[in-house]
Amino acid sequence: MKIAVLYYSQTGNTKRMAEEIICGMNKVEGVQAKAFSIDDADKAWIDESAGIVVGSPTYAGNLAGVVKVWLESAAGNYDLSGKLAGAFATENYVHGGADLGMLTILQHLIFAGMMAYSSGCAKGDPVIHLGPVALGGSLDDFRETFRIYGERFAAQTKKVFG
Ligand SMILES: Cc1cc2nc3c(=O)[nH]c(=O)nc-3n(C[C@H](O)[C@H](O)[C@H](O)COP(=O)(O)O)c2cc1C
């Protein structure tokens, strides 16, 4: 079962955290997860994926415009309907706007017919509200949460579509 993690990253933080998510996802037996920059997305892989997670840096308290542009055309360009959707973000400051960015990502993916999943409080610690968030100055502190999120998202994808 394939899963795609898509991200935009100008200075590497969001890319790095996408890789942590992939690491957690690939712990789940039968799951093959790959990360792609949205500039270089593998259409065949995305179309074959049962789950899709989109990540963005936080810009001016919301997602990066490049990601929004991608999301605006994604529903028409990719086979997204009925799949599991997730979001993640990086930011430099606590309450810097990552939540709004993730909400916007999830709104677009729901609009494309996807089903949103974050694991929320249902799996206990760490509680992951809309999706995992990492602070740019201390990415290492968030590695484990991103890996756990990846593992939970992949397990849920397998549960729903396996
Ligand atoms: C144009 C711009 C706007 C930003 N706005 C915010 C912001 O509103 N809140 C915040 O916490 N960080 C903000 N940041 C910091 C980035 O979100 C943060 O460094 C992020 O991890 C960068 O991701 P990247 O390394 O994947 O490009 C901004 C950065 C840039 C370049």
Side-chain angles (χ1 to χ4, degrees), residues 57-123:
T58 304
Y59 282 2
N62 208 321
L63 80 177
V66 179
V67 180
K68 190 161 195 317
V69 168
W70 186 86
L71 287 164
E72 281 169 4
S73 62
N77 291 339
Y78 297 96
D79 180 8
L80 302 179
S81 177
K83 298 178 173 182
L84 213 63
F88 69 101
T90 65
E91 63 184 357
N92 273 0
Y93 310 102
V94 174
H95 305 305
D99 277 354
L100 187 54
M102 289 187 293
L103 265 181
T104 307
I105 289 169
L106 293 173
Q107 178 180 333
H108 276 278
L109 297 178
I110 289 167
F111 171 77
M114 298 184 75
M115 303 185 285
Y117 181 76
S118 70
S119 86
C121 61
K123 299 280 179 191

Coordinates of all heavy atoms in Angstrom, one line a residue, residues 57-123:
P57 N 5.9 25.1 5.2 CA 6.4 26.0 6.2 C 5.3 27.0 6.5 O 4.3 27.2 5.7 CB 7.5 26.7 5.5 CG 7.5 26.3 4.1 CD 6.5 25.3 3.9
T58 N 5.3 27.7 7.6 CA 4.4 28.8 7.9 C 4.9 30.1 7.4 O 6.0 30.5 7.6 CB 4.2 28.9 9.4 OG1 3.8 27.6 9.9 CG2 3.1 29.9 9.8
Y59 N 4.1 30.7 6.6 CA 4.4 32.0 6.0 C 3.3 33.0 6.4 O 2.1 32.8 6.1 CB 4.5 32.0 4.5 CG 5.8 31.4 3.9 CD1 6.8 30.9 4.7 CD2 6.0 31.4 2.5 CE1 7.9 30.3 4.2 CE2 7.1 30.9 2.0 CZ 8.1 30.3 2.8 OH 9.2 29.8 2.2
A60 N 3.7 34.1 7.1 CA 2.7 35.1 7.5 C 1.5 34.5 8.1 O 0.4 34.9 7.8 CB 2.3 36.0 6.3
G61 N 1.7 33.6 9.1 CA 0.6 33.0 9.8 C -0.3 32.0 9.1 O -1.4 31.7 9.6
N62 N 0.2 31.5 8.0 CA -0.6 30.6 7.2 C 0.3 29.7 6.4 O 1.5 29.7 6.6 CB -1.6 31.3 6.3 CG -2.9 30.5 6.0 OD1 -2.9 29.3 5.9 ND2 -4.0 31.2 6.0
L63 N -0.3 28.9 5.5 CA 0.6 28.0 4.7 C 1.3 28.9 3.7 O 1.0 30.0 3.4 CB -0.2 26.9 4.0 CG -1.0 27.2 2.8 CD1 -1.6 25.9 2.2 CD2 -2.0 28.3 3.0
A64 N 2.4 28.3 3.0 CA 3.1 29.0 2.0 C 2.2 29.1 0.7 O 1.5 28.1 0.4 CB 4.4 28.3 1.7
G65 N 2.3 30.2 0.1 CA 1.4 30.4 -1.1 C 1.7 29.4 -2.2 O 0.7 28.9 -2.8
V66 N 2.9 28.9 -2.3 CA 3.2 27.9 -3.3 C 2.4 26.6 -3.0 O 1.9 26.0 -4.0 CB 4.7 27.5 -3.2 CG1 5.1 26.4 -4.2 CG2 5.6 28.7 -3.4
V67 N 2.2 26.3 -1.8 CA 1.5 25.1 -1.4 C 0.0 25.3 -1.7 O -0.7 24.4 -2.2 CB 1.7 24.7 0.1 CG1 0.9 23.5 0.4 CG2 3.2 24.5 0.4
K68 N -0.5 26.5 -1.5 CA -1.9 26.8 -1.7 C -2.2 26.7 -3.3 O -3.2 26.1 -3.7 CB -2.3 28.2 -1.2 CG -3.8 28.4 -1.3 CD -4.3 29.5 -0.4 CE -5.8 29.5 -0.1 NZ -6.6 29.3 -1.3
V69 N -1.3 27.2 -4.0 CA -1.4 27.1 -5.5 C -1.5 25.7 -5.9 O -2.3 25.3 -6.7 CB -0.3 27.9 -6.2 CG1 -0.3 27.6 -7.7 CG2 -0.4 29.4 -6.0
W70 N -0.6 24.9 -5.4 CA -0.6 23.4 -5.7 C -1.9 22.8 -5.3 O -2.5 22.1 -6.1 CB 0.6 22.7 -5.0 CG 0.8 21.3 -5.4 CD1 1.5 20.8 -6.5 CD2 0.2 20.2 -4.8 NE1 1.3 19.5 -6.5 CE2 0.5 19.0 -5.5 CE3 -0.7 20.0 -3.7 CZ2 0.1 17.7 -5.2 CZ3 -1.1 18.7 -3.3 CH2 -0.7 17.6 -4.1
L71 N -2.4 23.1 -4.1 CA -3.6 22.5 -3.6 C -4.8 22.9 -4.5 O -5.7 22.1 -4.7 CB -3.9 22.9 -2.2 CG -3.0 22.3 -1.1 CD1 -3.0 23.0 0.2 CD2 -3.3 20.8 -0.9
E72 N -4.8 24.2 -5.0 CA -5.9 24.6 -5.8 C -6.1 23.8 -7.1 O -7.2 23.7 -7.6 CB -5.8 26.1 -6.1 CG -6.2 27.0 -4.9 CD -5.8 28.4 -5.0 OE1 -5.3 28.9 -6.1 OE2 -6.0 29.2 -4.0
S73 N -5.0 23.3 -7.6 CA -5.1 22.5 -8.8 C -5.0 21.0 -8.6 O -5.3 20.2 -9.5 CB -4.0 22.9 -9.8 OG -2.8 22.7 -9.2
A74 N -4.7 20.6 -7.3 CA -4.5 19.2 -7.1 C -5.7 18.3 -7.3 O -5.6 17.2 -7.9 CB -4.0 19.0 -5.6
A75 N -6.9 18.9 -6.9 CA -8.1 18.1 -7.1 C -8.4 17.7 -8.6 O -8.8 16.6 -8.9 CB -9.3 18.8 -6.5
G76 N -8.0 18.6 -9.5 CA -8.2 18.4 -10.9 C -7.0 17.5 -11.5 O -7.2 16.9 -12.5
N77 N -5.9 17.6 -10.9 CA -4.7 16.9 -11.5 C -4.4 15.5 -11.0 O -3.6 14.8 -11.6 CB -3.4 17.8 -11.3 CG -3.5 19.1 -12.1 OD1 -4.3 19.2 -13.1 ND2 -2.8 20.1 -11.7
Y78 N -4.9 15.2 -9.8 CA -4.5 14.0 -9.1 C -5.8 13.2 -8.7 O -6.8 13.8 -8.5 CB -3.7 14.2 -7.9 CG -2.3 14.9 -8.2 CD1 -2.2 16.2 -8.1 CD2 -1.3 14.1 -8.6 CE1 -1.0 16.9 -8.4 CE2 0.0 14.7 -9.0 CZ 0.1 16.1 -8.8 OH 1.3 16.7 -9.1
D79 N -5.6 11.9 -8.5 CA -6.7 11.0 -8.1 C -6.7 11.1 -6.5 O -6.0 10.3 -5.9 CB -6.4 9.6 -8.6 CG -7.5 8.6 -8.2 OD1 -8.5 9.1 -7.6 OD2 -7.3 7.4 -8.4
L80 N -7.5 11.9 -5.9 CA -7.4 12.1 -4.5 C -8.7 11.6 -3.8 O -8.7 11.3 -2.6 CB -7.3 13.6 -4.2 CG -6.1 14.3 -4.7 CD1 -6.1 15.8 -4.3 CD2 -4.8 13.7 -4.2
S81 N -9.8 11.6 -4.5 CA -11.1 11.3 -3.9 C -11.1 10.0 -3.1 O -10.7 9.0 -3.6 CB -12.1 11.3 -5.0 OG -13.4 11.0 -4.5
G82 N -11.7 10.1 -1.9 CA -11.9 8.9 -1.0 C -10.7 8.5 -0.3 O -10.7 7.6 0.5
K83 N -9.5 9.2 -0.5 CA -8.3 8.8 0.2 C -8.1 9.5 1.6 O -8.8 10.4 1.9 CB -7.1 9.1 -0.7 CG -7.1 8.3 -2.0 CD -6.0 8.7 -2.9 CE -6.0 7.8 -4.1 NZ -4.8 8.1 -5.0
L84 N -7.2 9.0 2.4 CA -6.9 9.6 3.7 C -6.0 10.8 3.5 O -5.0 10.7 2.8 CB -6.3 8.6 4.6 CG -6.6 8.7 6.1 CD1 -8.1 8.4 6.3 CD2 -5.8 7.7 6.9
A85 N -6.3 11.9 4.2 CA -5.6 13.1 4.1 C -5.0 13.5 5.4 O -5.6 13.4 6.4 CB -6.5 14.3 3.6
G86 N -3.7 14.1 5.3 CA -3.1 14.6 6.5 C -2.3 15.8 6.2 O -2.1 16.2 5.0
A87 N -1.9 16.5 7.3 CA -1.2 17.8 7.1 C -0.1 17.9 8.2 O -0.3 17.4 9.3 CB -2.2 19.0 7.2
F88 N 0.9 18.6 7.9 CA 1.9 19.0 8.9 C 2.5 20.3 8.5 O 2.3 20.8 7.4 CB 3.0 17.9 9.0 CG 3.9 17.8 7.9 CD1 5.2 18.3 7.9 CD2 3.5 17.1 6.7 CE1 6.1 18.2 6.8 CE2 4.4 16.9 5.6 CZ 5.7 17.5 5.7
A89 N 3.3 20.9 9.5 CA 3.8 22.2 9.2 C 5.1 22.5 10.1 O 5.3 21.8 11.1 CB 2.8 23.3 9.6
T90 N 5.9 23.4 9.6 CA 7.0 23.9 10.4 C 6.8 25.4 10.6 O 6.1 26.0 9.7 CB 8.4 23.6 9.8 OG1 8.5 24.4 8.6 CG2 8.6 22.2 9.6
E91 N 7.3 26.0 11.7 CA 7.2 27.4 11.9 C 8.4 27.8 12.8 O 9.0 26.9 13.3 CB 5.8 27.7 12.6 CG 5.7 27.1 14.0 CD 4.3 27.4 14.6 OE1 3.5 28.1 14.0 OE2 4.1 26.9 15.7
N92 N 8.6 29.1 12.9 CA 9.7 29.5 13.8 C 9.3 29.8 15.2 O 10.1 29.8 16.1 CB 10.4 30.7 13.2 CG 11.5 30.3 12.2 OD1 11.7 29.1 12.0 ND2 12.2 31.2 11.6
Y93 N 8.0 30.2 15.4 CA 7.5 30.7 16.6 C 6.3 29.9 17.1 O 5.4 29.6 16.3 CB 7.2 32.2 16.5 CG 8.3 33.0 15.9 CD1 8.2 33.4 14.6 CD2 9.4 33.2 16.6 CE1 9.2 34.0 14.0 CE2 10.5 33.9 16.0 CZ 10.4 34.3 14.7 OH 11.4 35.0 14.1
V94 N 6.2 29.6 18.4 CA 5.0 29.0 18.9 C 3.8 30.0 18.6 O 4.0 31.2 18.8 CB 5.2 28.8 20.5 CG1 3.9 28.4 21.1 CG2 6.3 27.9 20.8
H95 N 2.7 29.4 18.2 CA 1.6 30.2 17.7 C 1.9 31.0 16.5 O 1.3 32.1 16.3 CB 1.0 31.0 18.8 CG 0.6 30.2 20.0 ND1 -0.2 29.1 20.0 CD2 1.0 30.3 21.3 CE1 -0.3 28.6 21.2 NE2 0.4 29.3 22.0
G96 N 2.9 30.6 15.7 CA 3.3 31.4 14.5 C 2.3 31.3 13.4 O 2.5 32.0 12.4
G97 N 1.3 30.4 13.5 CA 0.3 30.2 12.4 C 0.2 28.9 11.8 O -0.5 28.7 10.8
A98 N 1.0 27.9 12.3 CA 1.0 26.6 11.7 C -0.4 25.9 11.7 O -0.8 25.2 10.8 CB 2.0 25.7 12.4
D99 N -1.2 26.2 12.8 CA -2.5 25.6 12.9 C -3.4 26.0 11.7 O -4.1 25.3 11.1 CB -3.2 25.9 14.2 CG -2.8 25.0 15.3 OD1 -2.0 24.0 15.0 OD2 -3.1 25.3 16.5
L100 N -3.3 27.3 11.4 CA -4.1 27.9 10.3 C -3.7 27.3 9.0 O -4.5 26.9 8.1 CB -4.1 29.4 10.3 CG -5.0 30.1 9.3 CD1 -6.5 29.6 9.5 CD2 -4.9 31.6 9.5
G101 N -2.4 27.1 8.9 CA -1.8 26.5 7.6 C -2.3 25.1 7.5 O -2.7 24.7 6.4
M102 N -2.3 24.3 8.5 CA -2.7 22.9 8.4 C -4.2 22.9 8.2 O -4.7 22.0 7.4 CB -2.4 22.2 9.7 CG -0.9 21.9 9.8 SD -0.5 20.9 11.2 CE -0.9 21.9 12.6
L103 N -5.0 23.8 8.8 CA -6.5 23.8 8.5 C -6.7 24.1 7.1 O -7.6 23.5 6.5 CB -7.1 24.9 9.4 CG -7.7 24.5 10.7 CD1 -8.4 25.7 11.4 CD2 -8.8 23.4 10.6
T104 N -5.9 25.0 6.5 CA -6.2 25.3 5.1 C -5.8 24.2 4.2 O -6.5 23.9 3.2 CB -5.3 26.6 4.7 OG1 -5.6 27.6 5.7 CG2 -5.6 27.1 3.3
I105 N -4.7 23.5 4.6 CA -4.4 22.3 3.8 C -5.5 21.2 3.9 O -6.0 20.7 2.8 CB -3.0 21.7 4.3 CG1 -1.9 22.5 4.0 CG2 -2.8 20.2 3.8 CD1 -0.6 22.2 4.7
L106 N -6.0 21.0 5.1 CA -7.0 20.0 5.2 C -8.3 20.4 4.5 O -9.0 19.6 3.9 CB -7.3 19.7 6.7 CG -6.1 19.0 7.4 CD1 -6.3 18.9 8.9 CD2 -5.8 17.6 6.9
Q107 N -8.6 21.7 4.6 CA -9.8 22.2 3.9 C -9.8 21.9 2.4 O -10.7 21.4 1.8 CB -9.9 23.7 4.1 CG -11.1 24.3 3.4 CD -11.2 25.8 3.7 OE1 -10.7 26.3 4.7 NE2 -11.8 26.5 2.8
H108 N -8.6 22.1 1.8 CA -8.4 21.8 0.4 C -8.5 20.3 0.1 O -9.2 19.9 -0.9 CB -7.1 22.3 -0.1 CG -7.1 23.7 -0.5 ND1 -7.5 24.2 -1.7 CD2 -6.7 24.8 0.2 CE1 -7.4 25.5 -1.8 NE2 -6.9 25.9 -0.6
L109 N -8.0 19.5 1.0 CA -8.0 18.1 0.7 C -9.4 17.5 0.9 O -9.8 16.6 0.2 CB -6.9 17.4 1.6 CG -5.5 17.8 1.3 CD1 -4.5 17.1 2.2 CD2 -5.1 17.5 -0.2
I110 N -10.1 18.0 1.9 CA -11.5 17.6 2.1 C -12.3 18.0 0.9 O -13.1 17.3 0.4 CB -12.0 18.2 3.4 CG1 -11.4 17.5 4.6 CG2 -13.6 18.0 3.5 CD1 -11.6 18.2 5.9
F111 N -12.1 19.2 0.4 CA -12.8 19.7 -0.8 C -12.5 18.8 -2.0 O -13.4 18.6 -2.8 CB -12.3 21.1 -1.1 CG -12.8 21.6 -2.4 CD1 -14.1 22.1 -2.6 CD2 -11.9 21.6 -3.6 CE1 -14.5 22.6 -3.8 CE2 -12.4 22.1 -4.8 CZ -13.7 22.6 -4.9
A112 N -11.3 18.2 -2.0 CA -11.0 17.2 -3.1 C -11.7 15.8 -2.9 O -11.5 14.9 -3.7 CB -9.5 17.1 -3.2
G113 N -12.4 15.7 -1.8 CA -13.1 14.5 -1.5 C -12.4 13.5 -0.6 O -12.8 12.3 -0.5
M114 N -11.3 14.0 0.1 CA -10.5 13.1 0.9 C -11.1 13.1 2.4 O -11.9 14.0 2.7 CB -9.1 13.6 1.0 CG -8.4 13.6 -0.4 SD -6.7 14.0 -0.4 CE -6.0 12.6 0.3
M115 N -10.6 12.2 3.2 CA -11.0 12.1 4.6 C -9.8 12.4 5.5 O -8.8 11.8 5.3 CB -11.4 10.6 4.9 CG -12.5 10.1 4.0 SD -13.0 8.4 4.5 CE -11.6 7.5 3.8
A116 N -10.0 13.4 6.3 CA -8.9 13.9 7.1 C -8.7 13.1 8.4 O -9.6 12.6 9.0 CB -9.2 15.4 7.6
Y117 N -7.4 12.9 8.7 CA -7.0 12.1 9.8 C -5.7 12.7 10.5 O -4.7 13.0 9.8 CB -6.7 10.6 9.5 CG -6.3 9.8 10.7 CD1 -7.3 9.4 11.6 CD2 -5.0 9.4 10.9 CE1 -6.9 8.6 12.7 CE2 -4.6 8.7 12.0 CZ -5.6 8.3 12.9 OH -5.3 7.5 14.0
S118 N -5.7 12.9 11.8 CA -4.5 13.4 12.5 C -4.1 12.5 13.6 O -3.0 12.6 14.1 CB -4.8 14.8 13.1 OG -5.7 14.7 14.1
S119 N -5.0 11.6 14.1 CA -4.9 10.8 15.3 C -5.4 11.5 16.5 O -5.8 10.9 17.5 CB -3.5 10.2 15.5 OG -2.6 11.1 16.2
G120 N -5.3 12.8 16.5 CA -6.0 13.6 17.6 C -5.5 13.2 19.0 O -4.4 12.9 19.2
C121 N -6.5 13.1 19.9 CA -6.2 12.7 21.2 C -6.5 11.2 21.4 O -6.3 10.6 22.5 CB -7.0 13.5 22.2 SG -8.8 13.3 22.0
A122 N -7.0 10.5 20.3 CA -7.5 9.2 20.4 C -6.4 8.2 20.7 O -6.6 7.1 21.2 CB -8.2 8.8 19.1
K123 N -5.1 8.5 20.4 CA -4.0 7.6 20.6 C -3.2 7.9 21.8 O -2.1 7.4 22.0 CB -3.1 7.5 19.4 CG -3.8 7.1 18.1 CD -3.9 5.6 18.1 CE -4.7 5.1 16.8 NZ -5.0 3.7 16.9

